[in-house]
């Protein structure tokens, strides 16, 4: 009997059996789907270069009742290929898996011979996110569209888009055009700090509202939700450069050209600030279709507090609202911001360092800071959580600090965040862009770690094995080489290179140079 080959599928499916026989797919193979699974059908026909039809046929997408959310069953047998699912997302992920199989199937004369198989699959986490920061460096539409394709291929479904920070405001505002003419512009392209000096000339980038809508529509066509972030009340030098009247002192300032966090902050006691945010957030919420809106809230505790402590308006607000500490003042500020986005039908997400018991339970907490784990565990019983711990999922950090194996070994149970009653929505990997200034640098930090991340987010921990993942990853690397995605070849922890800066410096970094050397060797072979 012929030994049936297994295909390399990332992330690993829940169950995989080989069946007798084969099925041959060509460009004349009909793809038929029920109406609501048309997008799933299109994903496949775009690859096969055909058009999906409604009805039943050679490759059939069938709706069945009672299957779990986002789950699918894929069967390949001599009589045809079927994808069964109860919802659109499940059908789509069936198409994604089938495409990955077709890419690996033996091909002769334009026909792909697929071995018989039965896969039943469902995600471990419902929220599987990837974040890109475009404030520090702007990648632009074409790069983002490619990232969305890569996300869909790995069954990631949430794109967290960090669009405002000290170093630049990146969405067109028609209500406050100075946020673009001043806030989207800074003096240098390359940021100073962490061993880097100012580089390049003026840097002026933002997405037009039309581009934003186009990108979100594309994401949605791949069943990826877009979560925009306007970081408040710290991380706002971009806004304060455009509107200095919103700070406690009213002094003029500039969009930041350095790495790190500016100490300037929005005044929390000035009603004009809340009026400004009402209008801005109304415009921004109206621009995006998704359910979630990220309101930031992180790192507003350092030098910021001296502004609030010395500001008569902030002090008056504290007295009036019986707030004892600057932290409580920030809670008051965030609560008001939450009400604003809620009014527009959005659910707010905020970083864990700001969240406390006084916060509305509807606010989702995004966990990033490892030293707040005790509080986070308690909050997880109260509100939905997204986990993106810095020591596992901050992919702008060097491979020496967060190697592939470490990403793969992540388990929320080890953090005490898998207890019954805790509301963990899922996981997210972060690509802060202080040092990621090109698509190449971004890809290098993303891959192969994002493949490991996708498996951690999708696959049940019980069936995950690193050695097995590495074997399947070998296929993905072949694919990435073919399509020109840059990935890191640096495997072994190389702790000596960590040094003072824990971030890898994109194309300027030693790890990148080392990986490129290995890449050259690989090409010679
Ligand atoms: Zn103030």
């Amino acid at each position: 009997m012929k030994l049936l080959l297994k295909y390399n599928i990332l992330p690993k499916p829940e169950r995989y059996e080989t069946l007798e026989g084969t099925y041959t797919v060509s460009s004349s193979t009909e793809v038929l789907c029920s109406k609501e699974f048309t997008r799933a059908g299109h994903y496949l026909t775009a690859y096969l270069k055909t058009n999906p039809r409604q009805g039943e046929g050679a490759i059939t997408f069938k709706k069945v009742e009672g299957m779990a959310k986002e789950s699918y069953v894929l069967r390949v047998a001599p009589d045809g290929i079927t994808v069964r699912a109860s919802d659109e997302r499940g059908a789509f992920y069936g198409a994604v898996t089938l495409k990955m199989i077709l890419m690996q199937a033996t091909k002769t004369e334009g026909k792909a011979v697929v071995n018989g198989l039965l896969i039943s699959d469902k995600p471990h986490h419902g929220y599987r996110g990837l974040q890109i920061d475009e404030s520090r460096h702007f990648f632009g539409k074409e790069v983002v569209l490619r990232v969305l394709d890569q996300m869909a291929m790995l069954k990631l479904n949430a794109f967290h888009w960090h669009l405002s920070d000290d170093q630049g405001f990146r969405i067109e505002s028609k209500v406050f055009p100075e946020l673009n003419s001043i806030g989207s512009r800074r003096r240098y392209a390359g940021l100073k700090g962490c061993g880097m000096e100012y580089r390049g000339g003026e840097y002026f980038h933002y997405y037009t509202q039309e581009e934003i809508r186009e990108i979100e529509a594309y994401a949605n066509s791949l069943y990826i939700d877009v979560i925009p972030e306007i970081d408040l009340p710290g991380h706002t030098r971009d806004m304060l450069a455009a509107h200095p009247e919103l700070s406690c002192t009213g002094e003029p300032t500039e969009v930041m050209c350095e790495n790190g966090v500016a100490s300037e902050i929005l005044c929390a006691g000035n009603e004009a600030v809340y009026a400004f945010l009402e209008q801005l957030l109304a415009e921004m919420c109206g621009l995006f279709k998704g359910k979630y809106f990220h309101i930031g809230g992180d790192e507003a505790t350092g030098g910021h507090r001296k502004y609030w402590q010395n500001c008569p308006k902030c002090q008056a607000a504290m007295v009036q609202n019986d707030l004892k500490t600057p932290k409580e003042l920030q809670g008051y500020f965030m609560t008001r911001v939450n009400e604003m986005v809620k009014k527009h039908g959005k659910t707010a997400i905020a970083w864990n360092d700001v969240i406390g018991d006084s916060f509305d339970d509807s606010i989702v907490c995004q966990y990033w800071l490892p030293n707040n784990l005790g509080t986070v565990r308690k909050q997880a019983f109260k509100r939905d959580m997204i986990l993106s711990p810095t020591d596992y999922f901050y992919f702008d950090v060097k491979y020496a600090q967060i190697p592939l194996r470490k990403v793969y070994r992540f388990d929320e149970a080890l953090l005490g965040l898998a207890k019954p009653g805790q509301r963990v929505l899922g996981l997210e990997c972060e690509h802060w862009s202080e040092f990621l200034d090109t698509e190449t640098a971004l890809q290098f930090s993303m891959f192969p770690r994002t493949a490991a991340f996708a498996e951690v987010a999708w696959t049940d921990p019980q069936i995950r094995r690193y050695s097995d993942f590495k074997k399947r990853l070998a296929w993905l690397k072949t694919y990435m080489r073919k399509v020109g995605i840059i990935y890191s070849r640096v495997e072994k922890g190389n702790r000596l290179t960590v040094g003072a800066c824990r971030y890898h410096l994109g194309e300027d970094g030693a790890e990148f140079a080392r990986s490129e050397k290995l890449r050259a060797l690989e090409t010679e072979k």
Side-chain angles (χ1 to χ4, degrees), residues 247-248 267-270 307-308 311 313-314:
S247 75
C248 290
C267 178
N270 183 351
Y307 286 105
W308 283 359
C311 169
K313 287 188 181 121
C314 285

Side-chain angles (χ1 to χ4, degrees), residues 176-194:
F176 298 107
E178 302 81 7
L179 286 176
N180 302 123
S181 60
I182 299 170
S184 305
R185 198 191 292 266
R186 67 173 184 245
R187 279 194 286 148
Y188 299 99
L191 305 168
K192 185 180 172 172
C194 212

Side-chain angles (χ1 to χ4, degrees), residues 259-328:
N259 290 312
V261 188
S263 56
E264 285 87 349
I265 192 164
L266 294 175
C267 178
N270 183 351
E271 282 307 311
V273 171
Y274 296 102
F276 168 86
L277 290 175
E278 279 277 6
Q279 283 191 72
L280 178 66
L281 292 172
E283 184 185 23
M284 294 299 135
C285 287
L287 198 49
F288 293 91
K289 287 195 176 128
K291 172 182 173 189
Y292 294 111
F293 198 98
H294 207 305
I295 55 175
D298 60 316
E299 298 181 302
T301 54
H304 308 92
R305 289 191 172 167
K306 78 169 193 292
Y307 286 105
W308 283 359
Q309 273 159 344
N310 294 324
C311 169
K313 287 188 181 121
C314 285
Q315 291 307 305
M318 286 178 74
V319 172
Q320 227 173 52
N321 297 284
D322 195 24
L323 308 167
K324 303 277 180 297
T325 61
K327 189 170 177 153
E328 286 183 18

Side-chain angles (χ1 to χ4, degrees), residues 334-346:
M334 297 307 285
T335 298
R336 288 188 66 174
V337 170
N338 174 50
E339 291 305 321
M340 294 175 200
V341 301
K342 231 173 148 175
K343 214 162 66 186
H344 299 287
K346 304 289 185 192

